[in-house]
Amino acid sequence: MDAINKIYSSVSQTVSTLSAVFLGNPLTKDYDIAEHIGSAGTELVWKIYTGSKRTTKEAASIFVFDKKQLELFTKDEREEICENIRRGVVQLTKIRHPQVLTVQHAMEESRDTIAFAAEPVVASLANLLGNTTNVSNTGLLAEYKLSEFDTKFGIFELIKGIRFLHDEAQLVHRHLCTENIIVNKQGIWKLFGFGFCWSKRGGSGSSVGNHPFKNRLLGNPGSKWTAPELILENSCNDSTDIYSLGILIYTIYTRESIPSPDASSDLYGYKQSVTKLSSQGPPKLTAIPESLRMEVKKMLSVNPQARPTLQSLIQISYFCDQYVQCLDSMETLFPKDNLEKSEFYKRLATIIGDIPHRVRLYRILPLLVKEFVNCSMIPFVLTNILTITASCSRAEYMQHISSHLRPVMLLDEPVQIMLIFFQNLDVLLKVCPSEEIRASVLPLVYKALESKSQQIQELCLSIIPSVVVHLDKSTIKGGLVPRIKTLCSGTNLVSVRVKCLLCLGQLATKIDKWVMIDDIVSYLPSVNCREPAVIMAIVGVYKVSFTTDGLGIPKDVLACKVLPHLFPMTITSGLSLQQFNAIISLIKEFTRKIEEEQGDKLGSKSGTVSSSTSSSSLQEKQQSTSSQQQSELQQSFGSLSFGSGNDLYGDFMQSPMATNSNWNATTGVTAKENSNNYNLFTQQQQQQHQQQNSSSFAQGKSPQPAIAMPMLSTTAPMASSTMWMSSNGATSGPMKLTSPTNNSNPYGQLQPLIPTPSQAKSSGKSATSPMLSKEDIMEFLQK
C-alpha cells in the first residue's frame, strides 16, 4: 500500500509541476508531456521533456523556456532575452540538415513560457559531460556513457554540420558550446542555439559590432567560447566557429574548460590569456588523442589565418578510421546501385561487431532496415541486423527490431533469407519472448520443414530442440511432431531422414510419455530403414525412449511392436559388427524387461503358494480317480477274455481294416442309416424268436428267453465264454448262471443269446475286436 501511495504521490506531483510549467501554452493541446530529462542552451535555460503527439502518438521532445527565470532582470532586459530566444527557435525551424536539431512543432508562447516540439533527444552534450544545471532527474543522464567512437564520430558530424552552415546556409553560428550541442535518441550530435548566429549575406538579426558578450544577460554567449577576433576586433568569419570548435573538443576530452578571464570584466587579462593559449597551447593538451592534438592547437590560434579549414579537418588521420568512414558512407549509400551496396554490406559485416552497441542499434540499424524494400539486398543486410540483434536485450529487440523482421520471415525468395535466419536462429531464441517465438519463429520453422532445400531442412531440424523449450505441449504434439514425421516419410535423402529421427529422439525430454509412445515409438516401424544410418537412428530413438526418466516403453508395446521391428534389422546387410552388437544389446535389454515385469506379475499374485498346492492336490486326485476307473474298466473287460494290456479301441480306431469292416459303415454312411439298419436287424430277430416260441409252445416246450444284452457290472465278473450258446444253438451242458454279488441289476441273470466270436473260430476273424462282424451274425442266424 505504501508503494502505491508513493507512485500516486509521484504522479500527482509530476502532473502538478507540468501544469504549472505549461500553464496556458497552446503546445499542450497537441502534445502529451511527460518526464523532465535534461536542459540545453546557453546557461542551460531550456528544459527538455519527453512527450508524444496526441493524434499520431509520435515520440517527441518538448523544449520549454520558463520566463520566471527573468524575474531579476529589468523589463527591457527581459524583452531582449526573450527576443534572442525567439530568434534562435525561428532560425532553427528554417534549417533542415541531419546535423541540425529537427523541429516538429513550431514555437508556441504564453504569458509564462516559450515552447516548441523537436525530435526525440537524450539531452545536451553539457548534461552528458556532467553539467546537470536545470535538470530535475539526473538518473537517466548517469546511465548514458560517451564512448570513444561516440566522441570521434560526434565531432566528425559537427564539422559536417558547421560546414553546411558556412557553405549552404551562409551562416556563422558564433556560439558553439557544449550547451548548444544536442544528442538525439540515435546518438547523433546536432547543432542548437542559433539566437546569435550571423548571416554572411548581411541580413543578420544582430550586428557583429554589438556582440552580446559585453552585456552579461541570461543566455548570452560567454567569452570562454568566443573567438578572440570577435571580441577584440569585432570581426567574424568562418574561422570564428573553428576556434569555438577547438575549445569544444578540448572540453570534451578534459571534462573542463580552458581557464580564461571573463572579457566583460577583464578585457586585458582576456587578451593576455588567449595570446598565451595560442603560443603554448592549453594546459591539458595531452588528454587529446595524438592524431588530433596538433590540429586542436592550431584551431586555438589567435590568428584566424593560422587555423585549419573544415575541409582539412575532415581529412586528418584521426577521422580516417574505418568505423567512422563506414558509418559516414552508410548515410549516402541508399541511392547507389545494388553491386556497390552489396560490397559495402559485406565489408560492414566484418567490422560491425567492434562498433559500440548503442551506435549499432540507433545509428546503423535504421539505415539497414531501409533496404528491406529491395528484396535482392535483404540477404546482405540481414546478416548485419542479426549481428546487432545478438547484443540486444529482449526489450530492445521488441522495440527496435521485431516489427522489421516479421515481414521478412514470411518471404520465400531469395532462399538465402531463410538460410540466414536458421544459421542465426539461436540469436532470435535468446532475445524473443515465448509469445514472439510462437508468433514469428514457429511459422518460419514450419516453412523450413516444407522447404525443398536440403540444407535448410537439416539446419531447421538441428535447431528444433532449442525451439521446443519455448512451446507448449499441444503445439509440439499437434504441429511440430506431425510435420517432422511427414518430412521423414516423404524424403529420399538419408541424411534428412536421419536428422528427422534424431530430432524426434531429442524431443523425448520435452514431451509427455504417451505422446512419445503413441506418436513417435509407434511411428518408427513404418520408417524405411534399409540404410545402416537410419537403422541406428531408429535404435537410438528406442533407446532414448526406453531410458529417459519419466518415459519408458510398456512391455506390451515392446513385445507387440518394438521387438518385431528390431529383430529383422539384425540381418540387414551393411551393418558393422559394432552396430549389430548394439541392436542385439538393445533387444536383450527389452527382453529382460519383459521377462522381469511379466515374471513379477505372474509370481507376485496373492495366494500363489496355496493355489499351487491346491492345484497339485487336485491333479493328484484326478490322477487317482482316473487310475481307479481304468483299473475297473480293465477288470470288467478282462472277464470278457480280451486279454490284459490290449487297447479296447485299438482295432477299430487304429487298424487299417477298421475303415473296411464288414459292417459296411464307410465314411459315406451316416448315423441315421446305421440306426435304421440296426432297427431292421432287431425286428428280424424278434420275428424269429416269436416263431420259435410258437413252435415250442405247440410241442409243449418252454419258450426261450428273449435276446438281451447283459448289463456289465464293474464289480461282478462277466460269465466266461463257455456260458455262451454253442454254434448249433444247443447248450453244451447244463446252463449255470453265476449270481452276482449285487442283485440290483435286473438283467444280471438273463442268458445272453448273441455270443462274442470265439478266438478258436476257424474263420480267422480277429478275436481282439469287441465288434461282431456281419458274417458272424448271418452265420448265427442261419444255424
Side-chain angles (χ1 to χ4, degrees), residues 166 172 198 200 229 235-241 304-305 307:
H166 293 175
V172 178
W198 175 71
K200 294 194 292 183
E229 66 272 14
S235 63
C236 180
N237 51 48
D238 291 348
S239 64
T240 300
D241 286 342
Q305 286 73 28
R307 298 167 191 163

Side-chain angles (χ1 to χ4, degrees), residues 387-407:
T387 302
I388 298 172
T389 303
S391 59
C392 289
S393 64
R394 286 191 174 182
E396 290 173 337
Y397 173 80
M398 295 302 296
Q399 180 180 357
H400 301 285
I401 303 177
S402 175
S403 59
H404 299 295
L405 287 187
R406 277 193 180 187

Side-chain angles (χ1 to χ4, degrees), residues 64 365 637:
V64 180
L365 179 65
F637 282 95

Side-chain angles (χ1 to χ4, degrees), residues 123-299:
S124 65
L125 184 59
N127 295 154
L128 299 178
L129 293 175
N131 187 352
T132 57
T133 302
N134 211 10
V135 181
S136 59
N137 185 6
T138 60
L140 298 176
L141 298 176
E143 297 176 358
Y144 196 99
K145 302 296 182 182
L146 290 173
S147 65
E148 175 65 23
F149 182 84
D150 291 327
T151 302
K152 181 182 295 187
F153 197 71
I155 295 172
F156 181 80
E157 289 175 318
L158 288 180
I159 294 174
K160 293 196 302 180
I162 296 170
R163 186 179 175 183
F164 165 78
L165 290 178
H166 293 175
D167 298 342
E168 303 295 333
Q170 293 294 303
L171 293 174
V172 178
H173 192 281
R174 295 202 308 168
H175 195 194
L176 291 175
C177 59
T178 56
E179 291 90 339
N180 285 332
I181 305 300
I182 306 297
V183 180
N184 72 357
K185 285 291 187 180
Q186 285 73 39
I188 303 173
W189 291 14
K190 300 211 168 189
L191 295 171
F192 177 68
F194 288 87
F196 300 96
C197 66
W198 175 71
S199 175
K200 294 194 292 183
R201 297 188 179 97
S204 173
S206 61
S207 63
V208 176
N210 295 323
H211 193 269
F213 81 90
K214 296 179 181 179
N215 300 321
R216 293 303 299 133
L217 297 178
L218 184 67
N220 286 6
S223 59
K224 64 180 180 178
W225 299 101
T226 307
E229 66 272 14
L230 188 59
I231 297 176
L232 300 177
E233 302 175 5
N234 294 329
S235 63
C236 180
N237 51 48
D238 291 348
S239 64
T240 300
D241 286 342
I242 296 177
Y243 182 91
S244 299
L245 182 61
I247 300 294
L248 180 66
I249 294 173
Y250 178 86
T251 304
I252 291 172
Y253 279 103
T254 62
R255 296 295 198 272
E256 62 182 37
S257 301
I258 297 176
S260 175
D262 188 359
S264 61
S265 59
D266 187 3
L267 186 60
Y268 179 75
Y270 170 77
K271 184 177 180 180
Q272 286 184 327
S273 175
V274 296
T275 302
K276 181 180 179 181
L277 181 66
S278 177
S279 59
Q280 298 180 4
K284 293 184 178 181
L285 192 62
T286 55
I288 301 173
E290 184 177 358
S291 57
L292 184 61
R293 192 177 302 161
M294 294 309 297
E295 298 300 323
V296 171
K297 186 176 180 180
K298 293 177 183 179
M299 294 166 71

